[in-house]
Amino acid sequence: MARRDTDEPEDRGRNRRSGIGDARAFTPRGRTTRDGGTGDGADAAADPQADAELQRRRAELRMVRGGRAEEGRPPQRLGRVTGAPANRRPRRAQEDPDLGDGDFDVEPPPRRRTAPAGRGRPDREFIGRTQAARAREPRRADRPAAGRSRPQDRRQRPAAPPPDPPKMGEPRRRLRLATALALLLFAAIGVRLVQFQLADAPAFAAQGLEDRLDKITLPAPRGSIFDSTGAVLAKSVEARFVAVDPELVEEPKATAGLLAPLLGKAPSEIEPLLQKGKQEVSGKPVRFRWLLRGLNVDDANMVRALKLKGIIVDRDERRDLPGHDLAANLIGFTGTDLNGLAGVEARYDQVLRGRNGQLRYETGNGDLNKPIPGGFRQEIKAQPGSSLMLTIDRDVQFQAQHILFEGMKKVKAVWGAAVVLDTSTGEVVAQASYPTFDAANHSAAKPEELADNATSVVVDPGSVHKAIVLSAALQEGVIEPDSTVKIGPSIKKGNQVYWDTHQFAEGTKITLPGLMAFSSNVATIKVAEKLGAEKLYEYQKLFGLGQPTGIGVPGESSGQLQPPENWSGTSYGSIPIGHEMAVTPLQMAAAYAAIANDGVWVQPHLIKKTIAPDGKVTLPAPVKSHRVISAENAAALREIMEAVTTVDQATGRSAALPGYRISGKTGTGSQVLNGKYVKGEVGSFIGMAPAENPRYVVAVFVKTPGVGAGGKVAGPAFRDIMAFTLRHFKVLPSTIASPKFVTTY
């Protein structure tokens, strides 16, 4: 900052200019003619001693900075012309009396380039008159008196000593810093080299080895599927695939003609695959297309013998299904890569699928692209998939399908389903669907042929549900086996009137065997009134309705039940007789199996055991089971239901099987699709034999476009399927005949 004299009068301090003028006095760019003064001329003249002191201090400062000013010679002030002395006034000042001495700017002095010895900056000279010299000059008449100043009069404080020059850099310090940086750089390079040689060397070596390796995939065979006797239902066999590299094919038309008879395709189908093409995304040439997969080995060898350019023949695997359509809706099928797509193949894909192995070996390059003797070789053996043994019996399955198909064709049925259950274990002995497909050629199947009707189709069960109502009523003590119900020809619930097909006069007392034999809607609704909606709903769930059975087939439906809070006025008449609800054929078969199994419901299942590649057998987890009704009530209900096949004019006479006591029930309902009824009827019959000690339950459901035809097909189909099943498993005929039933009073 500029120095300020402490003895300066206060009024002068107020009129002084800012210290920027003092700072400018020490810049190399020059100063104005007023630089150097501290007051007006009168003040300088009044104190000549101060002026002499100021001159002496400035001379010392010039000596310190290396100046060469002559001793005793006051410094000159230069005008606008470089080098002009200050006492030579310019023409402008002489012509204009308003301009006083120093009232104009001057050119800055030339900057000195020579630095005094021992200093790092150029010498600077003070230019301009001092305060005392300016005071000695006669004051012009037009100049204002001391203490006054014109607006253009610019005064400056005495210049302060210039600040010390900045220190120069220290070379030794810079040298040390540069040395440290260089050492750090060399250290980093050294560490990286050590890392390459020691730490990363194995990785680079492994990468180099990887580039020299050839890899061959060792396919893992997919596990087989057996029936309960060990007969093969599906297995994998070695095969070959035929593919093409279109870029290498020279004559597509001629090549297609040679391949057509061996691949079993038309030349017009093969030729487009042999043509060159571009990939849609990358635009690169197509280098691979499938021609055929799963070709048998002999035909593949003939294709290889042709030595056609661009044709690739290599190892493959295909799924072989000896039975073709046998249990096809249950077993399902696989894709071209042998991944399960439907049925058991899809549900247990992770169990059946194996893990491919790999052979890696070191080869040369170019003409030496062959295994290197003694080179790297690694083999990871393939792990074949596990096999499944189903509860299905191949012979029973075949007969069930055959009998069902013959009956369906006679009535031109839309679909059909047949289920054979082991009553004590819950094993599915057979499960047939109509229509079906050839699993060995599943690509030709229609969508409606692929479904397993026993688990995916949903229907209202109709009168076969009446066995559930009587079971619950007997268990709750609402009725006894010898109870009677007073009925008439019809009954009204809500705004709906329900009629019996076998009508009786008002006030007729019908027995429980008569109720089942003539399928009385009126009697069933009255029994359900005594039981109550809450109890009926409870027993429906106990019998497994409204929830998937967990059999293990993909796409199984759960059906739907109506809780009592959702019942309408008509629900009290519709639900007891099997309407306003939805079930699958398998759910109803399992419910009847619970009655046959002395009142214990057992979860239906398909898997008997799993066989590992090493032969180790794994049994599935125990199936779920629970008691629904007592054994006494179950036995009483089975005897009551014998009237369905034995009483004259009963609804199930067509299901009677000579030599065996049969307990069962007929039903007529509708298919439910997307929450709506489908036009047509679903006739059904579910029964068990022998009635005194049931071994098997057979359920048959048939959907026809007309009315009543389903019931005509279901009874005979049940009879024939049950007859074969009993003979196949050598079940002895009944030794005691069915009782004689009284139906009405």
Side-chain angles (χ1 to χ4, degrees):
M1 297 177 61
R3 185 177 58 195
R4 178 177 179 178
D5 295 337
T6 57
D7 57 350
E8 186 177 17
E10 182 177 357
D11 58 343
R12 291 179 60 187
R14 287 192 299 267
N15 295 327
R16 294 182 61 199
R17 296 169 60 195
S18 65
I20 192 170
D22 298 334
R24 193 165 59 241
F26 296 94
T27 63
R29 297 263 182 202
R31 292 159 291 280
T32 63
T33 56
R34 293 185 182 274
D35 292 343
T38 61
D40 55 18
D43 293 338
D47 193 359
Q49 184 178 357
D51 182 59
E53 179 65 19
L54 179 60
Q55 294 293 336
R56 185 184 64 78
R57 291 175 62 183
R58 288 182 174 178
E60 290 177 355
L61 182 59
R62 285 196 299 271
M63 293 299 294
V64 171
R65 289 177 174 265
R68 299 180 180 180
E70 295 181 4
E71 184 177 351
R73 182 180 177 181
Q76 293 183 341
R77 184 178 63 175
L78 299 180
R80 288 189 179 273
V81 180
T82 304
N87 55 5
R88 295 177 62 183
R89 300 183 64 182
R91 182 179 303 274
R92 178 185 175 188
Q94 295 174 0
E95 294 175 356
D96 190 355
D98 294 334
L99 295 177
D101 186 18
D103 291 335
F104 54 88
D105 293 335
V106 297
E107 291 293 332
R111 185 173 182 179
R112 289 182 177 271
R113 299 295 182 180
T114 305
R119 301 300 293 263
R121 54 189 300 178
D123 181 29
R124 296 180 180 179
E125 293 183 356
F126 291 91
I127 303 175
R129 289 177 294 180
T130 64
Q131 182 179 6
R134 195 167 64 186
R136 286 194 294 270
E137 295 180 358
R139 183 166 60 85
R140 292 174 51 177
D142 59 349
R143 184 184 296 267
R148 298 180 181 179
S149 62
R150 291 180 303 177
Q152 66 270 26
D153 185 16
R154 294 171 295 182
R155 297 176 180 175
Q156 269 191 328
R157 296 172 53 191
D164 294 335
K167 294 182 180 181
M168 295 183 63
E170 298 181 8
R172 289 178 295 179
R173 183 179 179 185
R174 294 179 180 176
L175 182 60
R176 287 194 297 268
L177 180 59
T179 303
L181 292 176
L183 291 176
L184 182 61
L185 177 62
F186 282 113
I189 295 175
V191 170
R192 190 60 176 156
L193 289 175
V194 172
Q195 182 181 1
F196 282 144
Q197 293 295 327
L198 299 179
D200 294 342
F204 286 118
Q207 183 61 42
L209 177 61
E210 190 71 19
D211 295 339
R212 299 191 304 272
L213 292 180
D214 272 357
K215 302 176 184 178
I216 297 177
T217 299
L218 304 177
R222 187 177 178 85
S224 300
I225 299 177
F226 304 102
D227 81 335
S228 59
T229 65
V232 176
L233 298 177
K235 66 177 181 178
S236 293
V237 296
E238 184 178 351
R240 299 289 184 267
F241 72 78
V242 181
V244 62
D245 182 351
E247 293 294 316
L248 303 179
V249 177
E250 295 179 349
E251 298 180 2
K253 186 174 183 179
T255 303
L258 294 173
L259 291 175
L262 298 176
L263 301 184
K265 295 183 177 182
S268 59
E269 184 180 357
I270 300 175
E271 186 177 352
L273 300 175
L274 306 181
Q275 301 291 340
K276 297 180 181 181
K278 299 290 185 180
Q279 300 179 19
E280 294 183 0
V281 178
S282 64
K284 296 180 180 180
V286 176
R287 302 303 303 268
F288 187 90
R289 289 195 185 106
W290 295 107
L291 295 181
L292 184 65
R293 298 200 64 178
L295 184 64
N296 63 69
V297 177
D298 293 337
D299 290 340
N301 290 336
M302 296 174 64
V303 173
R304 185 181 284 112
L306 295 176
K307 297 181 179 180
L308 299 173
K309 290 186 177 181
I311 301 302
I312 306 168
V313 180
D314 209 339
R315 191 185 187 282
D316 197 9
E317 183 181 353
R318 76 164 185 267
R319 205 65 168 161
D320 186 28
L321 295 103
H324 293 272
D325 64 348
L326 184 68
N329 302 84
L330 275 180
I331 296 173
F333 51 86
T334 61
T336 54
D337 294 327
L338 295 188
N339 53 320
L341 299 180
V344 173
E345 293 275 21
R347 174 63 178 81
Y348 297 95
D349 184 62
Q350 295 298 324
V351 177
L352 294 166
R353 182 189 299 177
R355 294 183 180 179
N356 292 337
Q358 190 179 71
L359 174 62
R360 300 195 303 165
Y361 55 90
E362 193 173 1
T363 62
N365 295 325
D367 296 336
L368 299 177
N369 188 12
K370 296 180 180 180
I372 299 176
F376 177 84
R377 180 184 175 87
Q378 182 186 56
E379 180 179 357
I380 302 176
K381 294 184 178 180
Q383 299 180 8
S386 298
S387 298
L388 293 177
M389 178 174 284
L390 305 184
T391 58
I392 296 294
D393 184 279
R394 181 181 59 175
D395 295 335
V396 178
Q397 178 71 31
F398 175 81
Q399 287 296 330
Q401 288 187 203
H402 175 71
I403 294 169
L404 182 66
F405 290 5
E406 291 298 322
M408 301 302 102
K409 292 176 182 178
K410 290 179 180 179
V411 295
K412 298 180 180 180
V414 178
W415 59 263
V419 179
V420 180
L421 291 179
D422 187 307
T423 58
S424 60
T425 64
E427 293 181 351
V428 179
V429 180
Q431 190 160 301
S433 294
Y434 173 88
T436 188
F437 65 99
D438 184 357
N441 187 25
H442 62 84
S443 59
K446 299 177 181 179
E448 61 270 17
E449 297 174 345
L450 302 177
D452 175 53
N453 296 332
T455 58
S456 63
V457 174
V458 178
V459 300
D460 59 358
S463 293
V464 292
H465 181 261
K466 293 173 181 177
I468 306 297
V469 177
L470 293 190
S471 296
L474 289 171
Q475 186 66 24
E476 293 298 319
V478 173
I479 58 174
E480 298 294 333
D482 56 354
S483 296
T484 59
V485 182
K486 186 179 293 187
I487 63 171
S490 65
I491 189 173
K492 184 176 182 180
K493 290 294 178 183
N495 58 357
Q496 180 71 37
V497 177
Y498 298 90
W499 298 83
D500 279 343
T501 54
H502 290 72
Q503 297 180 6
F504 295 94
E506 188 69 40
T508 302
K509 294 181 178 180
I510 192 170
T511 63
L512 297 185
L515 183 157
M516 298 298 280
F518 303 120
S519 192
S520 175
N521 293 332
V522 177
T524 305
I525 293 172
K526 287 191 172 184
V527 172
E529 283 180 346
K530 296 180 180 180
L531 177 64
E534 291 288 345
K535 283 296 181 179
L536 178 57
Y537 180 66
E538 177 184 340
Y539 277 90
Q540 284 177 328
K541 293 191 295 183
L542 286 174
F543 275 107
L545 306 184
Q547 54 193 335
T549 63
I551 186 177
V553 178
E556 181 182 10
S557 177
S558 61
Q560 186 176 11
L561 296 177
Q562 295 290 346
E565 57 267 23
N566 293 343
W567 284 26
S568 63
T570 59
S571 298
Y572 290 90
S574 297
I575 291 178
I577 61 176
H579 299 288
E580 293 189 17
M581 57 185 299
V583 299
T584 65
L586 181 61
Q587 288 174 345
M588 289 306 302
Y592 272 67
I595 299 173
N597 192 33
D598 289 335
V600 178
W601 182 87
V602 181
Q603 179 185 14
H605 57 281
L606 272 174
I607 306 302
K608 193 178 186 70
K609 58 185 176 181
T610 302
I611 306 171
D614 59 0
K616 182 180 179 181
V617 174
T618 302
L619 297 178
V623 296
K624 299 177 182 179
S625 65
H626 58 266
R627 179 168 291 281
V628 182
I629 60 176
S630 66
E632 295 77 12
N633 287 326
L637 184 58
R638 290 197 300 267
E639 184 174 307
I640 290 171
M641 288 194 297
E642 284 189 66
V644 175
T645 59
T646 60
V647 172
D648 187 28
Q649 297 184 358
T651 59
R653 291 283 295 179
S654 62
L657 179 62
Y660 294 92
R661 295 170 61 180
I662 303 295
S663 292
K665 184 68 183 76
T666 57
T668 303
S670 301
Q671 182 180 355
V672 180
L673 185 62
N674 298 326
K676 298 180 180 180
Y677 286 115
V678 179
K679 184 179 180 180
E681 281 189 353
V682 177
S684 60
F685 189 94
I686 308 176
M688 60 201 74
E692 67 276 14
N693 184 23
R695 290 282 308 277
Y696 298 99
V697 167
V698 174
V700 178
F701 285 73
V702 180
K703 168 69 165 59
T704 56
V707 178
K712 295 179 181 179
V713 174
F718 163 84
R719 178 194 61 209
D720 296 341
I721 294 173
M722 178 63 81
F724 180 85
T725 302
L726 294 175
R727 289 196 302 268
H728 179 73
F729 291 108
K730 298 179 174 59
V731 178
L732 297 176
S734 300
T735 57
I736 302 176
S738 297
K740 300 295 183 179
F741 296 103
V742 177
T743 58
T744 59
Y745 291 99

